[in-house]
Amino acid sequence: MSWVQVKREFKNGVVYLGDCQEVMETLDKNSVEVCVTSPPYNLNKRYSNYENSKTSKSMTEKYDKWYDDDMPEWEYQGWQQSVIHSLMRVCASSIFYNHKVRFAWHGRNVFRSENNLHHPMHWLAKFPIWCEIIWDRCGIGNPSRRYHIQEERVYQIQKPRKWNNTEGLTNIWRFPPSRNDGHVCTFPEKLVENCILPTTEEGDTIIDPFLGAGTTAVVAIKHNRRFIGIEKDEEYFNLACKNIAKAEEENTKKVLDTSPRV
């Protein structure tokens, strides 16, 4: 059975279990308005072990719950470019792409560049970047002999078709990361809201090809948008479906509670 055939439909959208590029090949051009996503960061987790390296015990335990995330860097960057090309075909407007600068000095970083740095612009440079957003995560990073790194980037690729920045947002967003039972790394709902509220209208469709715990879909539901989610890990697919079903139930209850009595 093809990956594309494994899906779950909801009132507000659909979630696919499978490879994001295979699924996107089945979608029509400009069939969604925007994308909000954060891919695996290629952290080479299998080379991190508390017993055999300098990685902390807590980080080793966290890596054990992570995605397979250890591709050769050249392969990873090429894959990411291919995914973005696919997104540019299906998105009529902007692609919000969350990533971070990765320093490759650690012993686990078997794939290195000459400057020991993997920067998202190494594979994004030829795409039409409309805005570079700094996400200040409002916390302290892991101890090391460099200044604590507490920011990630959100790259807005392609000019938005719609724009209604009622909150007067700048390109610096300050809020802490989120926690979600069952997933080791989720982004907060506020990040998704900042992406979709100025650039979409009610009824528009949002896509996330790396759905994870389903945050993008959950926020879409709360703001009366539709969604398409894609997740290749079956455990996370089930988690996302659970969170989406809960969000739809709560949204329905909210609508009923605010409906005029007759």
Side-chain angles (χ1 to χ4, degrees), residues 81-98:
Q81 287 179 325
S82 181
V83 169
I84 295 169
H85 274 295
S86 296
L87 286 168
M88 290 182 68
R89 185 185 69 83
V90 302
C91 291
S93 188
S94 293
I95 300 161
F96 291 92
Y97 180 84
N98 170 223

Side-chain angles (χ1 to χ4, degrees), residues 105-248:
W105 290 78
H106 197 283
R108 71 172 178 269
N109 300 119
V110 294
F111 309 115
R112 298 188 178 186
S113 60
E114 291 183 359
N115 61 1
N116 287 332
L117 179 72
H118 302 314
H119 196 291
M121 287 305 294
H122 291 165
W123 62 92
L124 296 179
K126 293 185 178 180
F127 290 103
I129 307 280
W130 179 252
C131 190
E132 182 178 11
I133 299 155
I134 298 171
W135 172 23
D136 179 351
R137 293 162 56 94
C138 303
I140 299 299
N142 295 321
S144 65
R145 282 179 288 178
R146 66 169 62 94
Y147 299 105
H148 291 299
I149 299 168
Q150 63 176 16
E151 54 82 24
E152 293 188 5
R153 308 298 171 92
V154 180
Y155 297 92
Q156 184 182 6
I157 302 168
Q158 298 193 134
K159 181 180 179 179
R161 296 196 311 169
K162 304 173 182 179
W163 186 246
N164 184 25
N165 186 13
T166 56
E167 291 189 27
L169 295 170
T170 72
N171 74 322
I172 300 177
W173 299 351
R174 293 186 175 94
F175 40 77
S178 59
R179 296 290 183 267
N180 190 297
D181 290 340
H183 197 286
V184 295
C185 188
T186 60
F187 49 45
E189 292 188 5
K190 180 61 175 171
L191 186 149
V192 182
E193 289 177 341
N194 283 5
C195 294
I196 72 172
L197 293 184
T199 61
T200 66
E201 300 170 346
E202 291 190 4
D204 285 344
T205 301
I206 320 299
I207 190 171
D208 187 347
F210 302 101
L211 187 60
T215 304
T216 298
V218 167
V219 175
I221 292 166
K222 290 182 177 180
H223 294 283
N224 299 315
R225 273 70 169 169
R226 297 189 59 78
F227 63 85
I228 297 174
I230 310 169
E231 175 54 53
K232 71 174 185 178
D233 185 285
E234 187 172 4
E235 181 178 349
Y236 291 153
F237 170 84
N238 291 330
L239 175 64
C241 289
K242 176 183 176 182
N243 291 335
I244 290 166
K246 180 180 178 182
E248 287 198 334

Side-chain angles (χ1 to χ4, degrees), residues 39-62:
Y41 285 172
N42 204 38
L43 298 177
N44 293 284
K45 68 178 183 65
R46 67 172 171 166
Y47 302 103
S48 302
N49 184 276
Y50 175 67
E51 299 295 335
N52 302 317
S53 73
K54 296 179 181 179
T55 305
S56 69
K57 186 174 182 179
S58 62
M59 284 303 296
T60 297
E61 291 172 351
K62 187 173 184 178

